[in-house]
Amino acid sequence: MGASFVCHSWLAASKSPELWRFVDMTRHKVIFSKRTGILCAMAKAAIDRSDGQIESFWAQKFVTGELLDYIVRRASTLKSIRLAACTFIQWQSLAMLAAKCPLLEEIECSYHKMPADFFECVGRVRPHLKRLRVHMHYFDQDELENELIKHVLEEGGEVFEEPFEQREARRNADAFAIAEIMHELRLLQIAGHNLTEIGVRAILDGCPHLECLDLSSCHDIYVDGQLQARFAMIRHVRLPGLMMVTAQISVPSVRGSLWLIFSEVSLALCLRRWRWGMVPMATTKCLCPLTPVST
């Protein structure tokens, strides 16, 4: 970005490989103002200046498969790669990078859906991976499926009910793949996924060394007493609705007071349903049991 043109000492410093061990091309406004080709050229220049010593490469949006191949050829010392919303890449390119970088300890591929095959492949080539981050934008899969069924029925089509076991296997495919082969994980961020408590239990069984587990925005998980007990054994856990608030809501049809703990989303939903004394609608999965507290 021109810092090397300030003076001779800055020019010399900008060419020092130690300066380029950690390259972070995320969040800066330049990411949203320059074309993909220019950003890839900047990334290649940074990688070249590291002189084979780069340890971390973080990027947002612009990364391509060709750039990943470039990193593989020049950055065998890579320990961390974090990619956010890099939709130009295929999962095979990132898996190949993992195979070619023997020191790799951390992978992030957020806001770009990866299949279960990706986690299986990475787990095979990097069984000692320590940190995995795969944030996604949550969507209500049940609601989407119901809308599709309704549309098919309206068109006169026929709908076949999916068996429960098959449905759970499909929704937890990523979790099962991670649990089966990534046994050395210390940190797992899988926020926004549609996995259920079955997938969470598989992860807890298959990843016994977890110290940090991020399940925020995973709204299809039912946390019962057994899961709460297992979460208590992990140092840091983020559950759906991390920012919890305690609200005392007076409902005319309910005796006494209920202290209810909701996430910001759940609170807004329940307030809308309870307005003007409406009877609360039953929910199939509640993060926290509604326990009356004596006044």
Side-chain angles (χ1 to χ4, degrees):
M1 295 295 289
S4 58
F5 299 113
V6 172
C7 60
H8 286 291
S9 62
W10 280 40
L11 176 62
S14 68
K15 296 179 179 180
S16 174
E18 290 78 9
L19 187 66
W20 303 96
R21 288 183 177 178
F22 179 85
V23 177
D24 184 355
M25 299 183 69
T26 62
R27 299 184 298 274
H28 194 280
K29 62 182 179 181
V30 70
I31 303 300
F32 307 99
S33 62
K34 294 188 179 296
R35 297 191 303 273
T36 298
I38 294 176
L39 293 170
C40 286
M42 293 174 63
K44 291 178 180 179
I47 294 166
D48 290 340
R49 292 189 181 191
S50 73
D51 193 23
Q53 300 181 35
I54 187 171
E55 297 180 0
S56 298
F57 180 78
W58 298 2
Q60 183 177 354
K61 293 184 65 177
F62 67 88
V63 176
T64 63
E66 190 270 336
L67 178 57
L68 290 183
D69 294 339
Y70 193 89
I71 295 174
V72 167
R73 295 193 299 269
R74 291 167 172 78
S76 60
T77 58
L78 194 68
K79 296 181 179 179
S80 171
I81 182 164
R82 297 181 61 177
L83 307 177
C86 295
T87 56
F88 299 130
I89 65 173
Q90 295 182 341
W91 70 266
Q92 293 90 342
S93 297
L94 188 54
M96 179 63 69
L97 181 143
K100 297 293 185 179
C101 297
L103 302 180
L104 196 65
E105 297 179 345
E106 177 178 38
I107 293 179
E108 176 174 1
C109 189
S110 294
Y111 307 113
H112 179 33
K113 176 62 177 174
M114 292 291 180
D117 292 340
F118 168 74
F119 302 108
E120 294 176 359
C121 184
V122 170
R124 284 195 300 269
V125 299
R126 292 275 78 83
H128 298 291
L129 193 73
K130 296 296 189 295
R131 297 179 297 278
L132 177 65
R133 308 171 191 267
V134 280
H135 294 257
M136 295 295 295
H137 290 297
Y138 174 81
F139 68 94
D140 192 332
Q141 191 166 345
D142 289 335
E143 182 178 354
L144 177 62
E145 292 173 356
N146 291 335
E147 289 293 329
L148 290 174
I149 292 173
K150 180 180 178 181
H151 176 72
V152 171
L153 293 176
E154 290 177 350
E155 295 294 327
E158 188 175 359
V159 177
F160 298 93
E161 184 176 357
E162 184 179 23
F164 174 79
E165 293 79 7
Q166 182 177 341
R167 179 175 179 273
E168 288 295 306
R170 173 172 55 83
R171 300 188 69 168
N172 293 290
D174 295 349
F176 292 158
I178 293 171
E180 182 179 357
I181 203 164
M182 296 186 178
H183 306 303
E184 299 298 323
L185 284 179
R186 266 58 175 179
L187 180 148
L188 175 60
Q189 292 185 328
I190 194 168
H193 279 245
N194 291 105
L195 80 165
T196 66
E197 59 274 9
I198 295 177
V200 175
R201 289 193 176 93
I203 289 173
L204 295 177
D205 291 336
C207 305
H209 305 295
L210 275 178
E211 299 176 0
C212 299
L213 178 61
D214 184 358
L215 298 171
S216 56
S217 299
C218 297
H219 299 296
D220 296 328
I221 299 173
Y222 171 68
V223 181
D224 57 13
Q226 292 182 349
L227 269 185
Q228 289 178 1
R230 300 195 65 177
F231 288 151
M233 302 173 64
I234 302 176
R235 183 176 301 176
H236 302 290
V237 179
R238 286 185 66 179
L239 296 178
L242 171 67
M243 297 183 62
M244 308 297 286
V245 295
T246 303
Q248 184 176 8
I249 303 176
S250 177
V251 183
S253 60
V254 179
R255 295 181 180 179
S257 299
L258 294 177
W259 286 89
L260 309 177
I261 302 179
F262 298 103
S263 66
E264 61 274 18
V265 176
S266 300
L267 179 61
L269 177 62
C270 290
L271 284 174
R272 186 168 66 249
R273 290 173 176 173
W274 289 347
R275 185 173 294 175
W276 314 118
M278 293 173 59
V279 177
M281 297 176 61
T283 57
T284 58
K285 292 185 178 181
C286 182
L287 294 178
C288 300
L290 307 185
T291 306
V293 178
S294 58
T295 56

